[in-house]
Amino acid sequence: MKQSEILNNIAGKMGIESLNPMQKAVMDCQSKNIVLLSPTGSGKTLGFSIAMLQSLPKPSPEVKAVIIAPSRELVTQIYRVVRDIATGYKCVALYGGHSVSDEKKSLGPAPDIIVATPGRLLDHLQRKHVDLYNTKILVLDEYDKSLELGFHDEMKKIIRTMPNLSRIILTSATRLQEMPEFLKLKSPETLDFLDNGNNPGKRMSIVEVPSPANDKLDTLIDLLKSLQNGKVIIFVNHRESADRVYQGLRKAGLPAGIYHGALDQLDREKAVDLLNNGTTPILVSTDLGARGLDIDSVHSIIHYHQPLTEETWTHRNGRTARVDATGTIYVITSENDNIPEYMEFDRSYSPSGKSDDPIRSDVATLYFNAGKKEKISRGDIVGFLIKQCGLQPDTIGKIIVKDHSAIAAVPLQKAKEAIAKSAQEKLKGKRVKVTLMK
């Protein structure tokens, strides 16, 4: 694609009028192989997407580029960005928890661009659903994670199926000391933006919150009740801890959701969607949520447990202060905690348990049991909510349309009335069930 067309699409479809210095550097880099190091939230996805699209041949039924990311959430985030700006190119997303049969259909005729997790891409390759022999461009996002031990064998098998690569782009917010030999990365140019002025760390305030007891739950509840209204992510180190903290917050009347690896994919997606649209503005998460989640405007990060590594500290904190925003990092400490050297506090804070604008949910989420595969669009749902359900356009929040379902954020006090009205109406001539998502 021409650079001018890409930039026009970014402005028109994403509302971004100018690129940041990191994105410009990636766009202008002429090297075949690139290692991009830039903080979480700095816009790496857009940067590598521009570089990839500039190198892409004209559309044809053959896979030209493959983007691999270590999590399903990151794959869907990248897919949405690439799909919006890659005008004229067929782009598909492949990941676990997604219908294999739907994905198989999307692979014929072959797409121009594939965005995938390693495991699902390898599965399709072994089933011979896709051929990557002539693929020219490979992008590994969060490459330090994709190339580590858990994915090593899968990645080795995948890359063997791409013998004609002419460009490799690696991106991460943390460095990997040694590249695996099977990657065959020749003379890469490293673009290092980890220590420049765009570092989100410069826009974060790090606050210690001492807990008088080793059990920090009461301190956490007081802290949450002291904060101004906004989105918060609380990080814990274990799934069992996430369950306990979540139950404690719900018992205290706080609008919380939960996210960890023992939940199925649909429940994890729901947790992120409800955080994003404001239905549950508090999310309790293990470190599974420290990478790849596409969440807007997180005001605060709370470390309920100390991060186990500096890398984890970096990725957890990267959920806030994204792009040009600011954020506050709270670390709840007890006398049993050993504070690592990399954790430097700007101030200490003892929460009062009171706020003049407390965290709350004024939003409810409506669930529609039909989606893209049933020919339902975002515009269809907006029209239905206005005409059939009596909602005002400016009261309708975020709408997400998936393959066989859709959700829409509406005012909490209007939700039951909207559901009642929807029962008597059709959406695009079809009976679609609308329920309250909990």
Side-chain angles (χ1 to χ4, degrees), residues 252-320:
L254 291 162
I258 186 170
Y259 186 95
H260 60 65
L263 301 173
D264 64 34
Q265 177 65 14
L266 290 177
D267 285 336
R268 295 210 301 270
E269 288 181 2
K270 181 174 75 172
V272 174
D273 291 338
L274 297 189
L275 173 64
N276 255 330
N277 70 20
T279 299
T280 50
I282 300 169
L283 183 68
V284 182
S285 176
T286 61
D287 287 323
L288 181 66
R291 295 182 186 232
L293 297 188
D294 187 13
I295 300 170
D296 304 322
S297 306
V298 175
H299 289 197
S300 305
I301 297 297
I302 299 175
H303 297 266
Y304 185 83
H305 290 145
Q306 304 285 311
L308 299 178
T309 66
E310 185 174 4
E311 178 183 346
T312 302
W313 168 256
T314 298
H315 286 287
R316 284 182 178 185
N317 293 346
R319 296 300 93 204
T320 189

Side-chain angles (χ1 to χ4, degrees), residues 182-195:
F182 66 78
L183 195 57
K184 297 179 181 179
L185 192 67
K186 298 178 181 177
S187 305
E189 181 172 346
T190 299
L191 303 177
D192 190 345
F193 286 81
L194 290 178
D195 299 318

Side-chain angles (χ1 to χ4, degrees), residues 234-263:
I234 302 158
F235 283 106
V236 299
N237 287 345
H238 311 287
R239 295 171 180 175
E240 296 79 10
S241 300
D243 290 332
R244 177 178 177 272
V245 170
Y246 166 73
Q247 293 295 342
L249 298 187
R250 299 294 293 191
K251 187 175 180 180
L254 291 162
I258 186 170
Y259 186 95
H260 60 65
L263 301 173

Side-chain angles (χ1 to χ4, degrees), residues 148-162:
E148 70 179 9
L149 187 61
F151 292 110
H152 184 279
D153 292 343
E154 291 178 344
M155 292 300 303
K156 189 174 183 179
K157 291 175 183 176
I158 290 168
I159 290 173
R160 280 178 179 170
T161 69
M162 294 185 278

Side-chain angles (χ1 to χ4, degrees), residues 18 52 369:
S18 61
M52 176 197 70
N369 68 340

